[in-house]
């Protein structure tokens, strides 16, 4: 969603009878408004059974209060979801005078897939078990590719030749990376500069509301390295976990992924163009275990390279971030060549998750796999399994 994005030509009028959309042909009623409201209330109700389920909500506060005060049982919630699905199938999907029928059709598809994921989540909360791939398809509408140990060993052989010396490969890699740890006293300065650079790059392509902003906190005791908590009102809280050493490459990764043009921008654009400009209230809630997360995580990851193609990122790291961290910028090129190899091993984390959740590996074995094939120190491998 850029400067000519989904808000084109649409004005919202708040009237006593509800929200009316206006385009060049005149007022357009919203045939899905009631369904969208019931969907949001359903998500909030399911969230009462899983504290992680509702990742963000910035709709009417009384809807949250309603969900908290009357905890519906899971069977009732599944029945409600089925009823909303049925009503969605019967509802007219596109206002007869809408100039942007394609977006209305996409909206229907979005609600349909999100509702399907809700029902899968409710089934899981009732005790239904899925394999890793079944769960992924049911919740996220996607299945991760399978990678073999043979693929990982090929990359490890290449990495072995790049990191000569004594000890095992992971010991040599761990020693190598110690030169690229951001000292705790410099972490905020480095991270703030990375945020500034990522925002500058993002604004070249995407128009953001002038009041958007986020706060950064440094935390411990988490199973993730960074997290964006979207607050609504174009504001986010971004938390960075400092339990383990923070390496210099994480500055741009986290600033882009959690901030610009990642999660913060994604949520700001949803709120601006879909929730506020169009009144599509379903976008006021973000259920974490849903197809929406595939888009959120995919855009946040891909956004890193969009904001900083490899050559531009290398220049920023070498000339600005490495010196701010007290790290020799002359080593930036070699460091990112090594990281490019290590990145190809990242799918070992998927295989650990697949086998652990399928019951073919226990917890310790699941930590062994990324330690052996993804160059994770043991503490980070165990943190990864906690996240899984």
């Amino acid at each position: 969603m850029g400067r000519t994005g989904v808000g084109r030509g649409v004005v919202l009028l708040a009237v006593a009878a509800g929200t009316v959309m206006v385009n060049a042909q005149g007022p357009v009623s919203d045939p899905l408004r009631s369904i969208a409201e019931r969907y949001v209330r359903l998500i909030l109700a399911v969230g009462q059974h899983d504290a992680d389920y509702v990742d963000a909500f910035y709709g009417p506060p009384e809807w949250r209060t309603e969900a908290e005060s009357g905890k519906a049982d899971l069977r009732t919630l599944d029945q409600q979801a089925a009823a909303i699905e049925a009503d969605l199938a019967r509802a007219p999907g596109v206002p007869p005078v809408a100039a942007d029928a394609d977006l209305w059709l996409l909206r229907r598809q979005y609600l349909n897939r999100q509702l399907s994921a809700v029902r899968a989540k409710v089934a899981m909360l009732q005790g239904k078990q899925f394999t890793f791939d079944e769960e992924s398809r049911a919740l996220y509408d996607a299945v991760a590719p399978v990678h073999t140990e043979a693929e990982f060993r090929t990359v490890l052989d290449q990495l072995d030749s790049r990191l000569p010396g004594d000890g095992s490969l992971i010991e040599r890699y761990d020693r190598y990376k110690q030169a690229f740890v951001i000292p705790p006293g410099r972490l905020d300065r480095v991270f703030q500069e990375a945020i500034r650079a990522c925002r500058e790059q993002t604004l070249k392509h995407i128009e953001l509301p002038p009041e958007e902003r986020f706060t950064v906190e440094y935390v411990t005791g988490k199973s993730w390295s960074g997290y964006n908590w979207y607050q609504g009102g174009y504001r986010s809280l971004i938390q960075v976990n400092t339990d383990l050493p923070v390496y210099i490459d994480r500055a741009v990764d986290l600033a882009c992924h959690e901030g610009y043009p990642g999660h913060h921008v994604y949520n700001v654009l949803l709120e601006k163009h879909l929730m506020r400009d169009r009144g599509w209230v379903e976008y006021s809630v973000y259920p974490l275990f849903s197809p929406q997360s595939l888009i959120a995580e995919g855009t946040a990851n891909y956004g890193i390279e969009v904001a900083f193609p490899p050559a531009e990122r290398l220049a920023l790291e070498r000339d600005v971030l490495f010196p701010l961290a007290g790290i020799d910028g002359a080593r930036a090129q070699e460091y990112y060549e090594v990281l490019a190899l290590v990145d190809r091993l990242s799918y070992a984390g998927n295989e650990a998750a697949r086998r652990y959740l399928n019951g073919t590996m226990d917890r310790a074995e699941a930590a062994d796999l990324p330690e052996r094939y993804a160059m994770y120190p043991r503490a980070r491998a165990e943190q990864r399994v906690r996240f899984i």
Side-chain angles (χ1 to χ4, degrees), residues 14-292:
V15 296
T19 299
V20 176
M21 286 192 293
V22 176
N23 65 14
Q25 288 82 16
V28 178
S29 63
D30 185 350
L32 300 181
R33 176 72 186 198
S34 174
I35 288 171
E37 289 186 4
R38 290 161 60 198
Y39 162 80
V40 175
R41 286 186 161 98
L42 174 68
I43 298 299
L44 296 174
V46 175
Q48 301 308 303
H49 295 268
D50 182 343
D52 293 327
Y53 188 61
V54 180
D55 196 71
F57 173 66
Y58 46 89
E62 60 269 22
W63 291 4
R64 187 191 294 275
T65 302
E66 175 187 286
E68 293 171 347
S69 62
K71 185 174 180 178
D73 65 83
L74 290 166
R75 183 178 178 183
T76 297
L77 293 177
D78 184 60
Q79 291 171 345
Q80 291 177 4
I84 299 171
E85 280 185 318
D87 289 345
L88 177 64
R90 289 190 293 264
V94 181
V97 293
D100 46 9
D102 55 339
L103 288 175
W104 284 86
L105 291 172
L106 287 171
R107 183 191 186 192
R108 286 178 62 91
Q109 291 174 23
Y110 170 82
L111 281 166
N112 186 60
R113 285 301 300 121
Q114 292 287 111
L115 284 163
S116 178
V118 173
R119 299 195 69 186
K121 179 62 178 177
V122 170
M124 292 171 64
L125 290 170
Q126 291 177 294
K128 183 172 182 178
Q129 294 188 343
F130 295 95
T131 66
F132 180 82
D133 289 342
E134 288 170 345
E135 181 179 329
S136 176
R137 183 180 292 107
L139 295 181
Y140 307 112
D141 199 24
V143 175
V146 174
H147 294 268
T148 67
E149 281 91 336
E151 294 176 68
F152 300 139
R153 283 194 290 269
T154 298
V155 180
L156 288 174
D157 288 342
Q158 297 175 52
L159 193 58
D160 186 64
S161 66
R162 290 296 304 261
L163 300 172
D166 299 326
S168 66
L169 178 56
I170 192 168
E171 289 171 339
R172 281 178 275 149
Y173 178 62
D174 190 53
R175 285 198 302 269
Y176 175 81
K177 287 201 76 178
Q178 293 312 305
F180 302 95
V181 173
I182 303 173
R186 295 176 180 250
L187 180 59
D188 186 62
R189 186 179 176 190
V190 173
F191 192 46
Q192 292 295 342
E193 178 58 28
I195 291 170
R196 185 206 62 75
C198 291
R199 186 174 190 273
E200 182 179 89
Q201 291 292 98
T202 299
L203 290 175
K204 293 178 181 177
H205 306 283
I206 298 172
E207 184 176 4
L208 297 175
E211 63 269 39
E212 65 79 22
R213 64 180 183 274
F214 60 74
T215 303
V216 178
E217 288 183 354
Y218 300 95
V219 299
T220 58
K222 306 298 181 181
S223 62
W224 35 256
S225 58
Y227 209 98
N228 177 297
W229 304 98
Y230 191 66
Q231 312 286 295
Y234 309 141
R235 298 174 186 175
S236 294
L237 168 64
I238 294 178
Q239 293 181 324
V240 178
N241 187 1
T242 58
D243 276 338
L244 299 174
V246 180
Y247 298 97
I248 187 64
D249 56 291
R250 298 297 289 152
V252 167
D253 282 354
L254 286 172
C256 280
H257 183 102
E258 306 297 346
Y260 304 100
H263 292 321
H264 175 68
V265 169
Y266 171 75
N267 283 296
V268 165
L269 293 178
L270 288 183
E271 182 176 1
K272 171 67 172 68
H273 293 298
L274 299 183
M275 220 295 250
R276 295 196 184 195
D277 288 358
R278 289 180 173 269
W280 290 358
V281 71
E282 63 268 31
Y283 288 98
S284 68
V285 71
Y286 174 13
L288 186 62
F289 308 109
S290 72
Q292 187 176 355

